[in-house]
Amino acid sequence: MKITDIKIRLSSGSSKIKAFAVVKFDNIIEIHSFKIVEGKDGLFVGMPSQQGTGGKFFNIVFITDESFKKHLCDRILEEYEKFVKDSEVAVFDEPEK
């Protein structure tokens, strides 16, 4: 399965969730709500989840191949870093006259 597109959407508020990612696979399957989370050891990717009764969250996407999961998480974090870098440049550029 090939990752064909990743879109990053920043999260608003002061949550530990910094952004969400939408990932497209083979240009036919799109999965929303991967989370980019600030943890005590840095950023990590959380799987899409759903809140159940009692307020507990349960993953709704499971990746059983650990090497593919690592590849996916690395790609999402790379896209997040690029997105943040590009956003900062856009915010701090001098306006054109």
Side-chain angles (χ1 to χ4, degrees), residues 16 18 36-45 77 81:
K16 290 184 178 195
K18 300 302 178 190
I36 295 101
V37 181
E38 181 70 50
K40 66 178 182 170
D41 296 323
L43 294 174
F44 69 92
V45 176
L77 291 175
E81 294 295 336

Side-chain angles (χ1 to χ4, degrees), residues 6-28:
I6 298 174
K7 291 183 178 126
I8 302 295
R9 308 267 193 269
L10 292 179
S11 176
S12 59
S14 60
S15 169
K16 290 184 178 195
I17 298 175
K18 300 302 178 190
F20 293 92
V22 178
V23 182
K24 189 180 284 187
F25 300 92
D26 293 332
N27 282 323
I28 57 170

Side-chain angles (χ1 to χ4, degrees), residues 64-78:
T64 57
D65 183 303
E66 286 300 316
S67 65
F68 183 78
K69 183 177 181 180
K70 180 180 180 339
H71 171 68
L72 172 63
C73 292
D74 289 346
R75 284 282 316 279
I76 290 171
L77 291 175
E78 285 172 19

Side-chain angles (χ1 to χ4, degrees), residues 35 46-50 57-62 69:
K35 295 173 283 303
M47 293 294 117
S49 59
Q50 178 174 314
F57 283 86
F58 299 90
N59 286 351
I60 56 174
V61 172
F62 298 91
K69 183 177 181 180

